[in-house]
Amino acid sequence: MRRLFLCGSALITLASCASQSLLPPEEVLKRASAKTQELESTRYRAEGQISSLPQSDAVLHFLVEGILQNRGAQSSLTLAADGSFSDGKDSYDIQGTLELFLAFGSETYLKLSSLTVDPEHPMLKKAALDRFLGAWWKIPEDAQTSGVTPDPSLLQAQSKVITVVEDKGIVTMAGRRAYHYRVAIDREKLRAYLEKVSEERGEEYDQSKTEEMLAAYSADGEIWIDAETFHIQRLSWRIDPLDQTGKAYAIRFDVTFSDTNAALEISPPVDFELFSPLMFLPTPAPSDPDAFSELDEELKETPMDNADETDVWLAPSEPPPND
């Protein structure tokens, strides 16, 4: 019995040691940041919700699955979303799926596979949407937006601008051991990081916007970092407005990564059309060809000598005399 007790105690001790972090959080985050800079490709899956406050009159659930290649220079994703929103006294349900491909920061292709709005919204007429569905469209460069996908620079920010609130030890995730932390945004680190990114991109750092964002929202989350490779395995964030009495939004999202540096190759669509917002304008009604034929017949039947005194005739211009 004593030997059995000692063996059981030893197993419990080993299990306890295995769940403890082997490195301090600061070192783990440092290594994760370095590994992110070396990231060539990855597959990701993100799901979450965006809801308006305080009345929750708009809610959107989303699921994104995508691939990053060439250190984020190329990315493809599929987005499925459903939710509801209000416009004045009317409420609408919306559901849709789309595909997106971004190439080297200058080319964006979009394919809207489905979109339904019930009841029909005045700004989202079915006839206009049907002209857009089912085809790949190349978006003009001046209409593109950045930060659509979690490229390596955004992943690096995850390990550079956070502070560890709680070390939850090492856990097993997808068959691999991972450091698990509860984290929050370090405001000073975020300010320094955004200023550095603006400088690297040759852009002016807008400190007022940063301060406005920090004063309006709080963010806390969790992060899982592979204990062997130090690649980020999973992210989970909760972003809430500090003042929930005015119009604001609460965001929840969870992202998992897989196939690190081994994701499938991707390529932009070959067949596409150039997108123009004018395509959403109502199609003018076709003119009636019979109306023009009737007018033509009337002109043929009108004798030239019946012109009254009010008619104005323009004689053909004569060429200027030669000097």
mmCIF file of all heavy atoms in Angstrom, residues 4 8 91 95 184 189 215-216 230 245 306:
data_model
loop_
_atom_site.group_PDB
_atom_site.id
_atom_site.type_symbol
_atom_site.label_atom_id
_atom_site.label_comp_id
_atom_site.label_asym_id
_atom_site.label_seq_id
_atom_site.Cartn_x
_atom_site.Cartn_y
_atom_site.Cartn_z
ATOM 1 N N LEU A 4 2.214 1.849 -3.455
ATOM 2 C CA LEU A 4 1.169 2.376 -4.333
ATOM 3 C C LEU A 4 0.937 3.855 -4.067
ATOM 4 O O LEU A 4 0.764 4.659 -4.991
ATOM 5 C CB LEU A 4 -0.121 1.586 -4.112
ATOM 6 C CG LEU A 4 -1.325 2.003 -4.981
ATOM 7 C CD1 LEU A 4 -1.002 1.805 -6.459
ATOM 8 C CD2 LEU A 4 -2.560 1.201 -4.584
ATOM 9 N N GLY A 8 1.534 6.898 -6.780
ATOM 10 C CA GLY A 8 0.460 7.853 -7.088
ATOM 11 C C GLY A 8 0.899 9.277 -6.854
ATOM 12 O O GLY A 8 0.610 10.177 -7.653
ATOM 13 N N SER A 91 -36.809 46.838 -39.333
ATOM 14 C CA SER A 91 -35.758 45.882 -38.986
ATOM 15 C C SER A 91 -35.542 44.934 -40.157
ATOM 16 O O SER A 91 -36.492 44.578 -40.875
ATOM 17 C CB SER A 91 -36.138 45.082 -37.739
ATOM 18 O OG SER A 91 -36.248 45.937 -36.616
ATOM 19 N N GLN A 95 -28.099 37.882 -44.602
ATOM 20 C CA GLN A 95 -27.296 36.676 -44.640
ATOM 21 C C GLN A 95 -26.545 36.637 -45.963
ATOM 22 O O GLN A 95 -27.117 36.948 -47.017
ATOM 23 C CB GLN A 95 -28.182 35.431 -44.501
ATOM 24 C CG GLN A 95 -27.423 34.124 -44.401
ATOM 25 C CD GLN A 95 -28.361 32.944 -44.144
ATOM 26 O OE1 GLN A 95 -29.517 32.964 -44.554
ATOM 27 N NE2 GLN A 95 -27.881 31.930 -43.455
ATOM 28 N N ALA A 184 -4.095 41.431 -21.725
ATOM 29 C CA ALA A 184 -4.783 42.705 -21.928
ATOM 30 C C ALA A 184 -3.864 43.601 -22.749
ATOM 31 O O ALA A 184 -2.665 43.340 -22.871
ATOM 32 C CB ALA A 184 -5.126 43.365 -20.587
ATOM 33 N N LYS A 189 2.716 50.262 -24.806
ATOM 34 C CA LYS A 189 3.302 49.471 -25.885
ATOM 35 C C LYS A 189 2.547 49.685 -27.189
ATOM 36 O O LYS A 189 3.144 49.725 -28.269
ATOM 37 C CB LYS A 189 3.289 47.988 -25.512
ATOM 38 C CG LYS A 189 4.278 47.608 -24.420
ATOM 39 C CD LYS A 189 4.206 46.115 -24.140
ATOM 40 C CE LYS A 189 5.181 45.706 -23.041
ATOM 41 N NZ LYS A 189 5.100 44.250 -22.746
ATOM 42 N N ALA A 215 -9.335 55.736 -25.136
ATOM 43 C CA ALA A 215 -10.268 56.308 -24.163
ATOM 44 C C ALA A 215 -11.676 55.728 -24.311
ATOM 45 O O ALA A 215 -12.476 55.809 -23.386
ATOM 46 C CB ALA A 215 -10.319 57.828 -24.325
ATOM 47 N N ALA A 216 -11.965 55.129 -25.471
ATOM 48 C CA ALA A 216 -13.326 54.667 -25.735
ATOM 49 C C ALA A 216 -13.513 53.174 -25.492
ATOM 50 O O ALA A 216 -14.632 52.738 -25.199
ATOM 51 C CB ALA A 216 -13.719 54.999 -27.175
ATOM 52 N N PHE A 230 6.907 28.169 -30.806
ATOM 53 C CA PHE A 230 6.567 29.537 -30.395
ATOM 54 C C PHE A 230 5.726 30.281 -31.439
ATOM 55 O O PHE A 230 5.657 31.503 -31.434
ATOM 56 C CB PHE A 230 7.826 30.335 -30.039
ATOM 57 C CG PHE A 230 8.515 29.790 -28.834
ATOM 58 C CD1 PHE A 230 9.572 28.894 -28.977
ATOM 59 C CD2 PHE A 230 8.105 30.112 -27.559
ATOM 60 C CE1 PHE A 230 10.205 28.360 -27.871
ATOM 61 C CE2 PHE A 230 8.723 29.579 -26.437
ATOM 62 C CZ PHE A 230 9.788 28.691 -26.599
ATOM 63 N N THR A 245 -23.539 53.828 -22.771
ATOM 64 C CA THR A 245 -24.803 54.560 -22.833
ATOM 65 C C THR A 245 -25.013 55.182 -24.205
ATOM 66 O O THR A 245 -26.140 55.462 -24.601
ATOM 67 C CB THR A 245 -24.835 55.664 -21.769
ATOM 68 O OG1 THR A 245 -23.730 56.561 -21.982
ATOM 69 C CG2 THR A 245 -24.722 55.059 -20.375
ATOM 70 N N ASN A 306 -44.947 74.041 -95.863
ATOM 71 C CA ASN A 306 -45.949 74.333 -94.841
ATOM 72 C C ASN A 306 -45.356 74.967 -93.601
ATOM 73 O O ASN A 306 -46.048 75.206 -92.627
ATOM 74 C CB ASN A 306 -46.684 73.062 -94.425
ATOM 75 C CG ASN A 306 -47.684 72.633 -95.499
ATOM 76 O OD1 ASN A 306 -47.948 73.387 -96.432
ATOM 77 N ND2 ASN A 306 -48.213 71.415 -95.357
#
